[in-house]
Amino acid sequence: MAKFDTVEHIRWLGNHMQQVLEYGHRAFLPGGFGCIKADGKVDDTRPLELDLTARSTYIYALGVVLGIPGSLRRCDHGLRSLTHTFKDTSNGGWFSLVEPISEEQRRDNASGVPTGQNIFLKSSRSMSYLLEAAAAATIARRPLGKSLLDEVIEIEEKYFWDESVGRVNDSFTRDFSQMEPYHGMSSNLHAVSAFLVTADATNDPVWVDRAARIISFVIAEAKQNNWRVPEHFDADWQEDKEYNVGTPADPRRPYGINVGHCFAWSRRIFEVSAALKEFRKPVPEGYFEAAKNIFDRMVKDSWRQDGRSGFFFTVDYQGKPLMRQRFAWVATEAIQAVAALGFAMAENGSSYEEIDPYIEFYHSWWDYLESYVIQPDGYWVGELNPNNVPDDTVWPGAPDIYHSVRALVAPRLPNTPSKPMAVAQGLLDHPVSHQFHEAIWV
């Protein structure tokens, strides 16, 4: 079985990444980036989402560092939108959803009008995407990046990071006077990613320490649940296995175990390990074993477990399938996780024979995406039914290119705190210059 770094595979990854970046241009809207529908057109009727705009801004900041033409103006458009359209000038912070704005309003740097039925308008998940985008733009040296990053850090530290428990709060009302009586692993998952990019952008190790505190909690919870990471907790951080019972297809807070998030946790553990090493801090004992156990558990629970290729979306606390729909983003998280695991195994001295089964998974999962998901124009089918036929039950269309670009870049980089800084340091396709990963690339 070929390794991750054959010349043609790397070329294939790069070609598809450029196609996806070009496809993502369609998401451009006044005031941000929108959701791309299945027909390839952007939906300009739905509210503008902070999540989608921040994620696109992050991707095009990465594109700037990669040197992909067109990324500069799209990254800067995202930064202007995040600085003005979503900003709550009365109470501070940023709205998760705002009404669409006109081109004239965009030119005037007008603030958007918040919308949505949920009273908790200030979301930690959205803040993490915003923090990640601002940090990546700072690494890319975009003019608005650093000022935005400073503002986001202030709000993150004031309201969302809870130093007493070492995790983030989930969401607040508009004026931050009321916090939702719920805590979620999803928000903390995205916080870890954002904290690591912020550590690279600011060279401040406090963000690595915070990410590591979240990881330690996750590992402890996963160990108690047979290496499945629980999603939902009550206001006192007690695990709530009945939360949203009967709704395993909820796109944000599904009942049960979220397979894609568990793969992402496995990778995050390796990334936090890399960050601790780069900031000359000790890596707690058991990180590698925990990440590998979480990964192996998700493969056993979700990959081809109904006889057909693909991953389940959710399983129950014993690993039985709840939601059999296949989502492209789940497969991209699995690919990023197996690449991170392969690098970490090499770093730990594993033989090629020990790593080879994971490389087999890696190539099988790319074959799966090529068979059912990846289209010639850069469009990736976002959702498939259990027979791997395109479907729009949960997430219509292809919301954005965040997961696909990350999956196409990840195998070309070693395990480092963040992709933007790794690219800026010249590690793309040159991981032998990174001390921890020579074994698998030479």
Side-chain angles (χ1 to χ4, degrees):
M1 177 60 63
K3 296 186 181 183
F4 298 162
D5 65 332
T6 61
V7 172
E8 288 304 317
H9 181 62
I10 294 298
R11 183 176 293 149
W12 185 90
L13 292 172
N15 288 340
H16 277 279
M17 180 193 68
Q18 293 185 33
Q19 285 183 322
V20 171
L21 284 169
E22 185 173 347
Y23 183 84
H25 297 175
R26 308 177 188 201
F28 189 99
L29 283 173
F33 292 91
C35 178
I36 304 175
K37 299 181 292 185
D39 63 5
K41 298 178 181 178
V42 64
D43 189 345
D44 58 3
T45 63
R46 60 188 289 174
L48 290 168
E49 296 184 30
L50 180 57
D51 286 17
L52 292 181
T53 298
R55 291 186 350 173
S56 292
T57 304
Y58 167 85
I59 288 299
Y60 285 112
L62 182 61
V64 170
V65 183
L66 288 164
I68 306 298
S71 298
L72 278 170
R73 68 179 183 276
R74 289 175 176 85
C75 177
D76 289 351
H77 167 71
L79 290 170
R80 284 193 299 272
S81 301
L82 298 171
T83 300
H84 301 292
T85 307
F86 293 91
K87 187 71 179 294
D88 182 353
T89 56
S90 299
N91 301 284
W94 288 259
F95 296 118
S96 297
L97 291 172
V98 299
E99 293 179 1
I101 69 170
S102 66
E103 177 61 23
E104 183 179 2
Q105 289 173 307
R106 183 198 69 83
R107 287 196 299 268
D108 292 339
N109 292 327
S111 298
V113 177
T115 187
Q117 310 242 339
N118 194 338
I119 66 167
F120 296 105
L121 297 171
K122 305 290 177 64
S123 157
S124 176
R125 173 191 171 93
S126 299
M127 278 293 296
S128 290
Y129 286 134
L130 175 57
L131 184 61
E132 188 177 47
T138 300
I139 293 171
R141 300 184 179 181
R142 301 315 304 145
L144 293 176
K146 182 59 168 60
S147 59
L148 178 62
L149 179 60
D150 291 341
E151 288 187 76
V152 181
I153 286 175
E154 180 181 356
I155 296 296
E156 178 72 26
E157 293 185 324
K158 186 175 182 179
Y159 297 110
F160 291 98
W161 173 252
D162 187 342
E163 182 66 24
S164 67
V165 298
R167 295 181 284 282
V168 295
N169 299 314
D170 211 272
S171 57
F172 291 86
T173 50
R174 176 173 182 169
D175 61 359
F176 292 103
S177 63
Q178 183 181 351
M179 184 173 71
E180 184 179 9
Y182 165 88
H183 294 295
M185 282 298 198
S186 176
S187 294
N188 283 272
L189 172 69
H190 295 99
V192 169
S193 182
F195 289 1
L196 293 181
V197 189
T198 302
D200 272 345
T202 62
N203 198 34
D204 186 345
V206 70
W207 297 101
V208 178
D209 294 337
R210 289 167 177 170
R213 290 183 70 186
I214 295 173
I215 289 296
S216 294
F217 177 76
V218 168
I219 290 175
E221 290 293 323
K223 189 174 183 178
Q224 293 176 13
N225 285 276
N226 201 13
W227 299 112
R228 300 178 182 97
V229 182
E231 282 283 308
H232 310 298
F233 295 79
D234 66 17
D236 298 318
W237 276 106
Q238 297 301 305
E239 186 179 335
D240 185 357
K241 289 187 176 181
E242 298 304 311
Y243 186 87
N244 264 355
V245 64
T247 58
D250 186 286
R252 295 300 186 204
R253 297 180 181 178
Y255 169 72
I257 302 296
N258 188 312
V259 171
H261 285 176
C262 287
F263 279 124
W265 279 121
S266 175
R267 171 169 58 91
R268 296 289 195 277
I269 295 171
F270 294 128
E271 291 173 343
V272 171
S273 297
L276 288 167
K277 291 172 184 176
E278 293 202 4
F279 280 85
R280 292 178 171 80
K281 294 174 176 286
V283 178
E285 186 177 353
Y287 264 36
F288 172 83
E289 290 77 11
K292 186 174 183 299
N293 286 337
I294 293 170
F295 178 89
D296 288 342
R297 169 54 59 197
M298 283 303 101
V299 174
K300 291 176 183 177
D301 282 356
S302 67
W303 170 244
R304 294 182 58 91
Q305 291 306 303
D306 58 1
R308 301 180 181 89
S309 293
F311 298 92
F312 300 144
F313 175 43
T314 48
V315 297
D316 69 13
Y317 295 91
Q318 289 72 48
K320 296 180 181 178
L322 291 173
M323 179 62 169
R324 297 173 184 266
Q325 295 287 96
R326 275 72 162 140
F327 296 108
W329 76 265
V330 176
T332 66
E333 290 293 356
I335 284 172
Q336 291 177 80
V338 76
L341 175 57
F343 289 136
M345 290 178 71
E347 177 186 334
N348 279 10
S350 298
S351 67
Y352 184 74
E353 288 70 25
E354 292 172 307
I355 300 171
D356 189 57
Y358 294 97
I359 296 178
E360 177 78 31
F361 281 136
Y362 173 84
H363 288 292
S364 295
W365 296 343
W366 273 122
D367 265 23
Y368 169 73
L369 289 176
E370 193 278 335
S371 297
Y372 299 108
V373 172
I374 299 173
Q375 305 301 305
D377 64 349
Y379 168 58
W380 286 31
V381 178
E383 179 179 352
L384 303 157
N385 71 16
N387 294 313
N388 284 311
V389 175
D391 199 357
D392 281 341
T393 300
V394 179
W395 277 300
D400 65 357
I401 60 173
Y402 180 80
H403 289 97
S404 49
V405 170
R406 289 167 70 100
L408 289 160
V409 171
R412 303 170 64 187
L413 293 167
N415 287 338
T416 55
S418 74
K419 291 176 174 64
M421 183 60 80
V423 174
Q425 291 172 338
L427 296 179
L428 187 73
D429 301 335
H430 297 289
V432 292
S433 61
H434 194 278
Q435 60 180 315
F436 300 126
H437 298 294
E438 295 184 7
I440 200 171
W441 291 84
V442 177

